[in-house]
Amino acid sequence: MDIIVVDHPLVGDRLRTLRDSATDTAGFRAAMDALGTMLCYEAFRSVPTVEIPVTTPVTETTGVAVNGVPLIVPVLRAGLGLLEPATRLLPGAQVGFIGLARDEESHEPVSYLCSLPEDLAGRHVVVLDPMLATGGSLVSTLQTLTDRGATGITVVTVLCAPEGVKLVEESGLAATLVTATIDEKLNEAAFIVPGLGDAGDRLFGPR
């Protein structure tokens, strides 16, 4: 698995805003949107393209176009915070949804929604999930996509714990992981340290 940590001053600035407990919901959403745009821009380097003829006001030439219809899959609910920047960059993409909740005792993912095409063979698939903590939810998502024929999956996440990165890497189910940072560790409650809290709660309010 290729791990791409996007090292850019603007990425660091938006990440600081997300980490800050004083950032309100509006500020958190805006920072997530801006950071998501930068991360998705890097992640979409692997989108397949094709050359097509173009007529400019001066002459004939060739240009590059996205080849096929990529599938973007936000992991609900926090993944919705990255969906708008992703579709803004790839407006022709389709969107599938996977809903997972974390059992707070076992820390294991519990599925409550799967809305995906049945056959993903040959599709370019990008998964959006802001937090990679234990890795269980992401591995479950990747397995669901792989079972439908997806290969070469790209994952976009805002921040990761080393434990989650290790689990995803060992699963062999993702080709590329794009993130803003790999944090220090997980705490006893399986939250990322220093982290940014619960991304879903900070985006949409507590459940």
Side-chain angles (χ1 to χ4, degrees), residues 41-64:
Y41 180 82
E42 289 297 325
F44 293 161
R45 287 184 184 274
S46 58
V47 170
T49 60
V50 61
E51 286 193 351
I52 61 172
V54 175
T55 302
T56 80
V58 179
T59 188
E60 302 294 322
T61 187
T62 57
V64 173

Side-chain angles (χ1 to χ4, degrees), residues 88-167:
R88 193 163 56 237
L89 290 173
L90 270 183
Q94 292 180 348
V95 180
F97 297 93
I98 290 181
L100 296 171
R102 185 171 81 158
D103 185 298
E104 294 304 328
E105 292 186 4
S106 68
H107 307 311
E108 293 298 317
V110 178
S111 175
Y112 63 86
L113 175 69
C114 181
S115 178
L116 297 168
E118 286 297 325
D119 184 6
L120 296 178
R123 297 288 296 275
H124 186 79
V125 179
V126 179
V127 175
L128 309 176
D129 193 356
M131 310 283 286
L132 173 51
T134 65
S137 294
L138 183 54
V139 168
S140 174
T141 296
L142 293 168
Q143 188 62 64
T144 298
L145 295 167
T146 300
D147 289 345
R148 296 180 183 229
T151 57
I153 301 169
T154 298
V155 175
V156 178
T157 184
V158 170
L159 52 82
C160 312
E163 296 91 335
V165 174
K166 183 173 184 289
L167 187 68

Side-chain angles (χ1 to χ4, degrees), residues 6 15 48 83-84 107 155 168 179 183 192:
V6 182
L15 181 60
L83 180 58
E84 186 170 343
H107 307 311
V155 175
V168 173
T179 186
D183 273 5
I192 302 171

